Amino acid sequence: MASASDHVVSSEKEDISARTSQSQQVFRPHLQLPTVDEALQYSPLSSIVPFSPDIIPFPNSHLSYTQSIFDTAAQSLAKQQLDILDRDLISNPSESNLARRTLSDLLPYLNQKAITPFKFKVATRVADGKVDTHQSVNNRYNPEAPDQSCPFAEMVLEASDIACRYPTPSSPTLNLPKPQSLSEASMRISVIIPPKHGIRQEQPANSTLREQYSHSQATSSRIAKDSSFVIKIPPSSAKVLNTVKKPLAAAHGTLQKQKRPPVHPRTTDQSAIADEALHRLQDIIQDIFQANDQLQQDTPAVISPADHVRLDAALQKVILYGRYDQVPIDDICRLETLCLGGLEATEASEFQIKASSSIEEESEWVQGLETLDLGLRSTRMLLRIMAGGRQEKEVYSEELLQNALHVIQKVLNSTIIPIIESRSPEAGSAIYEIASSHQKFLVQLLNDAKKALDLLLSLLEQVELAEGLITSVEFFAARLVFVENTSSEKESILGAHKFEPLRRTAMDLITEIYSRYPQQRAFLLDEVLSSVQKLPVKGQQARQYKLSDGSSIQLVSALIIRLVHTRATSSDLREGDSQQITLDEVEDENSDGSEAEDSSHTSDETGRHIQEDTTKSASNVPIRRLTKSATALTNSALKDAHCVIRFYVSRASTAPKTGDQPYRQLLDMFVEDLITVLGSPEWPGAELMLRVLLFNMVQISEDKHSGAPAKTMALEFLGRMGSAISELVAHTRIWARNLENHDSDGSACLGKLLDDYVEAKIEMGDLLGWEGPYHIVLDHLRAVGFDDKHIVTTRGYYLTQWAYAVCYGKLPPSPSLDRLVDRLQKMMQRSEWGSLEIEMEPASANQIRLAYALTVLNMSFCRQFDRILRILLDSIGSESTTVRNRSLKSVTQMLEKDPSLLVRAENVKLKIMSCTADKSPMVRDSALMLIGKCILLQPTLEQELCIAVLKLMNDDSVGVRKRSMRLLKETFLRNNRNDIKAAISDSLLCRTRDSDAGVSELARQILEDIWFAPFWKYTDSTEHSVEGKISFQAQVSLIVGTAQRGEDFPSLMVSLIQSVQSKDSKTAAANFKVCKALVAVAFECMIYSQDLPEGLEQRHILQTITVFARANPRFFASDQLQYLQPYVSSLSSSDELAQFGSVVTIFRCVLPILSTIQHGLLRDVQKSLLHSIAKLGKKELDEVAACLWSINGKLGEPEKLIKLVLSVLKGLDDLGKDNPDFTDPRWSDSLTRAKKYVRIAGCFGKHCDFERYSKTFRNSFPLWEGSSVAGLIASSLSPFANAKQPISLRFDALESIGLICQSWPFLYSQEQISSIFEEFLNEGNHELQHIVLSSFRDFFSNQERQAGMKSVEVSGKELAATNGKLGGSIIPSDGDGASAMIAGRFFKTVRKIALATQDLAALTASQVITSISRQGLVHPGETCKALVALETSTNEDIGQVAFQEHRNLHQQHESLYGREYMEAIHEAFKYQKDVVKDLSGITRQPLGSKLHRMFEIIKTSKGKYQKKFFSNFCSTLDFDIGKLDEQSSREQTLEYSRFLMENLAFFDYDRVEELVHTVSCMEKIFASTGAGIAHSISTEGFQVDNKDTPQDIDRLRQLTTGSIILSCLWELRTYLLRRVCELQASQPSRDVKIKAFVKDLGKTSSGTPVMTGERFLSNIAEKANSLSSNGAMVKQCHEFCELMAIDREFKGAVDGEDEVGTPESGSGDDVDESIPPTPGGSKAVKRKASVSVGGTPHKKKPVRASVGKVNKRFR
């Protein structure tokens, strides 16, 4: 026995250094002291009467007696083990793992507070005054004897804190030696390792209990013969042998007494039951042995399934009653041997599920299942035997256990897992069909596998396995966790829910291994994380771990949190990661300080600032002991949390959100799971994981060198975490409200804590107190799952967090704090909860949730909410578009969870408002979306935020305009304020003429939905209800209010009404009824003016009615016109004049379509109108003339009109004959009269057709030789338009001629008229030019309108009548000839006027150009340059007009415009220089390109077209240095280059491919042109100090100009590379080359300052100022050469031994444009060696070794 034990101990020592596969090294069971009940049967107290105290010897530090309480074998074994420990300590004093592990096992039993104190008294003998015989024994101790304690005993003594002293004699008569102090005696505690509990090798296995007691009594008598103090510790071989270990809950700080199974019955009946169970087991074992003995020799020895059932039940009972130690070891070993037969049979079988069509094959498959079942039963039996708690090493065979694990793997891999992964027959699974017929048997197999894993878990809790066995368990457990189980019961054979218990057990196995084997933790984490990565997407997204509240999370998320819980439990202090805390260490100030410092450093990584002076200033030992324990455990959990988060973040930060690599999706789902369980008391580790993640995201977001993709990811997760905190706060308030009616002290206390938290004045003493929320949560965790391994580790973790918070909570010293620390320390040391528990009322579910939420909200993660918000708001002002956009979206998430942020944080609203003016459409769109959320969350801010939305209605981005319209629609329908509705309606009306067809159509649809659709229900009935009338009156009031907001309302409203009633509209009929009803209601409001709302006047109503009349006169009835006649009778005020004009317009529009109307009414109106002509202005006169001609159409009486016109013409003729000088004040009356005549003649000449009455006019003017009355009127007006006349008269005459020409286009072709127009256009007077151009504009508009009407009216019949020839509608008319003449004669003049100014004349000229272009009257190339230049105008109207026409022409003539764009850009530069007076190529606030409209149009083309455009654009940046010899050419080239580069920098790029191509083109130019300039600078050798000649200065300016352009080009290239990264992050390219380019760019750009837009502008402005002095020019040349030198050296590193050619060796034109450039630059020419300004070559710098993929491009 001794030799065997020695072999075991030796194997243990070898196993520590390197694991082997021998059976003695398989297990390391932990030995613990027996309980009182277990030790009682061996104590003399069980068989003898109470004995005298002197029987127990005095404790003695030396073994001075000869007789021991142990037998010889036990002493020999103990001595051998102590010798091993001593030798190991002597050889390795500081690195003895064996001694440290043994000491770690021993120290818990030497804890002064955890063991029972014994006080020994010395018995007195009064009779004879002598001490008994034991006195002599005690006196054998010689204090002067040399110290012979062994090294390990000294190690135990130094590590323990148990004070030893001599007992004081109770009688002075005793002749005892004087007690000596510990120091004087140099006392040392001797250590004896007792024999293994339960091993009674000197007794037969079936010995009776009384015999065992007798043996114990004899042993006690031996103990009484010596009075030395002996400490009994577990032997070192306990790491190898097996013993019953304390349940896991006790090791993790359980809060309730462990309920041990009943062992060793105390009563006769219980003993009889236990004996009966033991006899029953022995009978079954004998039956099995007899059955196997009768088998033939060639028959394998196995246990039948029936015997397995009987044996398993009997063995389980024996273990339960504590009689398993009495089963003979030989029988146990033979049972294991019998189990081996089943294991080997299963391992040897070839089993694979496949499609079986025959009965024989299916029978073979069923037989294979039976073999698997037998092997699984044998595995269960073997694990049951090993997990029973026997000490004998023979029980634990590595080979047997390895076979058992192989069987488990085979059952899982060949049967259970394939069946679980199979799906319904519809999915084509052959396994499903075969296995379905044997579902019952397979379910039983699944249950048996679950039981086998449970036993394996129990074995793992008691012993330590070899590394190979542990690895096997890890692999199949990890695979079970990540099996893709279906969520549908219909698709699962075994049932989806039946597999989950097996998966939970696998998770328990991983957790147990993680807890017990520190060296396996890294491998386990890697295996778990890599397993998730390998799952298919559906498997990754599966959330099959059900939580207590019904929600689900991923299995891997649950497993990781459980692993973190395990690391923060007190048992982990014994695993080797953290040293055991002793009293000596706590009292060591230096050690304490360093520990606190380490703790502070670790905790700072998660944002928790630990105050080092907290532990230093603590005067009492308990709190310092607790501090070290809690800090060590928390740091261990932090370490694992950092490991997991680092794995996710490091991979996700470089992976796209959508792509082949799932890292980003994995992190997304993991964070979602953490947020899901953040408020759950069963998962407190989620807060730590989120805390670490928060630290990483903050670090990325605040790092200046972080790329846009990483920052975007960080901001997204910060938004999620901030939203999670807000949501937890919201839920907490709900739970608190639910407790308002709960009458209890606990609810009141929790409610007060929540109020204090909201007001930021919570007292940590109330939060961390013994009766506070932590206690409530721990009590809940004790109740919900005392035996649940997950809950056990959860309790341990939460207890550690409580202790950590107490230690670093800055609580003032008090007795209550001391009691709290003492209780926490005892729980941390696995003391029982029951001894510490006080009476507390049971907590309700809401109380528990609220208590836990309060603790989480006061932990580090939730306390960082303000910091999260600040980072997100600061990121809104980032230079990166994607970062700004992501910040807005994250803020949106937080506001959705906590709308009160808008009120509590004023800067939130301001930041959002500022983003509406951002230069990026994406950011503006996100800001708009956020504003919509804010309006819904805080309706009080609607009015303020609505103003920002209205401004975005005119945004350049189509998407922004559409979103703003949809948002305004929701605001309109939700709002009752008429002013807000009117503002929204006005903005929507303006968008009906948007340049984008989609926007205009959306605006019309929204207006129909909000203005007409709500009233459809009221138009079905003949009589409107009261509700309908009120609604119509409100709508009329709204339309009238909208009409007052803009001058363009009439025309816009007319177009809207006509569009909603067009033939294409499906709701035209319903809309017609609504409009007709609105007109009727408007008439009622006008008649009953006393009932009008405040601010609504009659003139406003008439203006609105006029709009409906112009849109469709059929809305009116003849009787309604009678109400209007009084308004044309008198004109005494300006208000009446406005009403007069509106009524005249209504008459003009409505009269022609009315079939029945009273002629008397018409004559009265005609008479009134004729009498009012002299009082009218231009606008009203034009309407009256048109109305009078309409009345003439009904009455057929033109005589009055002819008489009026003739009188006007005669008056003009008389004034012409007098040849007056209207500039003379004496002719002022004649001038006034002439103006009136001119206006009347023009208006009536425009609207009246007097051609049929030419004879009447000829009679009045006999000298007239013409044939057209219109020509007569125009010729009568022409003398008043010559240059001799006053300017005001010329205005009126020219305007009247233009009006007449619009109606009679042939007049444009008359030389007299066209000469007048040409004279006015060339005169230079902008007002006169505007009049002429207005005439052209209106004429072209009429032509376009008539052309559109003709194209619609042409029918098939008309086309057939033409007999295949040109139809009548295509025959040229007078208008067509006039259009061609105007375009041919005046186009260049009109274009010149448009490009000369930005006033009203320029706007009108732009409109004429677009009209001419639309009608195809000039070549498209002639309009391209003008349109591109006009798009850059600061006059928004001019820019929009040009942009709209440019877009249409680009779509029709894309290739043609592609050749014209470079000249058009140069024209835009001249326009900006000469007209706008701004040479820059950018617009500020925000920064943008002046050519942005042109680029928006180009982006509609394909990628190839865009690449060609950028190639041409960059080619214009190239130049010939030889042509920069003159000052003017140098300045112009530099200005134009700067204009181009600034535009290129701030284009709104959509695709990364085009941007990368642009960078490549710029690198080519830099390489090819820069080499020659650098060479010239080097060879000519300019110096700063020499006296240059004028020729030298001119040459220096020439070279400096070239270097400035190229240096600015390099700055532009650097800035665009940053844009490449941002664009790839927001809109990733699928091109592999582009991905590689961006990836390499991210590596090379890390650590360099970020090039922002402002910095780019500042850099090029600084370089452009280098021409200011000679020194600045020389410095610029030097810097340029340095830049080229650095580029050359980089090439030297990558090219190796390649020769450097001359600048003429290549141009780089042969580079494939489809290949993107690398971060190094483009494939340019090889240049010569670096040059210096002074002509002296630079010292060659050392060439750095290239890293990664090497290329030959410039940096």
Side-chain angles (χ1 to χ4, degrees), residues 259-299:
K259 298 180 180 179
R260 298 180 178 274
V263 294
H264 303 294
R266 298 184 180 182
T267 64
T268 305
D269 294 339
Q270 292 173 340
S271 299
I273 295 175
D275 293 338
E276 182 182 357
L278 179 60
H279 292 312
R280 174 63 177 165
L281 174 62
Q282 292 174 345
D283 293 341
I284 296 175
I285 291 175
Q286 294 304 320
D287 292 342
I288 294 174
F289 289 166
Q290 292 177 5
N292 280 274
D293 291 341
Q294 296 175 1
L295 296 176
Q296 299 180 1
Q297 294 183 356
D298 55 347
T299 302

Side-chain angles (χ1 to χ4, degrees), residues 584-603:
D584 294 336
E585 291 174 340
V586 174
E587 292 177 349
D588 187 356
E589 290 293 339
N590 296 329
S591 174
D592 184 86
S594 62
E595 181 69 19
E597 184 178 356
D598 295 341
S599 172
S600 176
H601 175 72
T602 305
S603 302

